[in-house]
Amino acid sequence: SRAVPNITESYSFRIIPAGHPAGKQMEEDVQDVKEAGRAQPGASPAGPAALDTAKRQQLMEGARRVFLEHGFDGASVGDIVRAAGISKGTLYAYFPSKEKLFETLVFEDKRKQAEAICVLDDSDEDVARVLTKLGTSLIEMMARPDHVALVRIVIGAAGKFPEIGRAFYEAGPGY
């Protein structure tokens, strides 16, 4: 496991005057995270089992757009928070790093896809038809441009961050 960098060495800070819109956004984001933590005690806000709050969904959608557009290395935390309409503080309240955010995004997306593909009609006794439907659903999902882009991003990032490749496998093919 890699050490978390000292944020005072990695980021610049600025004083936000009272009443400034950026300060109000940060206050709202912090309050959302606090309320989410009270909603489900013991849930981890930094991984696949994290709370599914509206703010977290907003973050995940913004991150998905930025990662698909710029790739893992080209996506900056600044781009992600702008696309999501949240503060950096909110992102870091949910995820300790861009890597963990991407790993969680990959895990959750692959898990949802695997669950959707594996929905079979129990009442259909024609095994060939059920398997054909399963195979067709799998191929259609794998051929979608956003899926192909995500696979390419995972392959590119997995050499440096093997846990991302592992999350992709465990939530998709290994599920």
Side-chain angles (χ1 to χ4, degrees):
S1 180
R2 297 173 333 144
V4 177
N6 180 340
I7 62 169
T8 59
E9 295 172 6
S10 304
Y11 301 97
S12 61
F13 295 92
R14 64 186 167 117
I15 304 297
I16 300 173
H20 189 277
K24 289 182 186 219
Q25 177 67 51
M26 175 68 105
E27 289 171 15
E28 290 172 11
D29 292 347
V30 168
Q31 187 60 36
D32 287 345
V33 170
K34 284 180 181 177
E35 288 172 9
R38 285 192 297 268
Q40 293 184 7
S44 169
L51 300 169
D52 199 16
T53 65
K55 188 65 70 174
R56 186 177 182 280
Q57 284 292 72
Q58 186 179 337
L59 166 58
M60 298 304 275
E61 287 302 316
R64 183 177 294 105
R65 286 192 308 271
V66 172
F67 284 127
L68 288 175
E69 184 177 337
H70 299 289
F72 179 78
D73 288 329
S76 73
V77 169
D79 292 338
I80 292 168
V81 298
R82 274 190 295 282
I86 62 168
S87 68
K88 282 186 182 180
T90 298
L91 185 149
Y92 288 116
Y94 284 102
F95 301 98
S97 65
K98 179 178 92 167
E99 294 79 13
K100 190 66 176 174
L101 168 61
F102 185 65
E103 178 185 342
T104 303
L105 180 71
V106 166
F107 182 89
E108 291 178 1
D109 281 2
K110 296 314 309 166
R111 178 61 54 92
K112 286 176 189 172
Q113 288 175 356
E115 289 173 355
I117 287 171
C118 293
V119 174
L120 305 174
D121 184 1
D122 293 339
S123 64
D124 192 344
E125 295 182 11
D126 184 346
V127 175
R129 184 173 37 237
V130 171
L131 291 176
T132 299
K133 183 177 182 237
L134 175 65
T136 301
S137 296
L138 180 62
I139 296 298
E140 286 172 351
M141 183 272 304
M142 291 177 70
R144 286 190 356 238
D146 62 322
H147 175 78
V148 172
L150 184 63
V151 169
R152 287 180 176 158
I153 296 167
V154 168
I155 290 169
K160 194 172 177 183
F161 304 102
E163 59 276 5
I164 291 172
R166 194 171 12 267
F168 179 85
Y169 175 77
E170 288 173 0
Y175 180 56

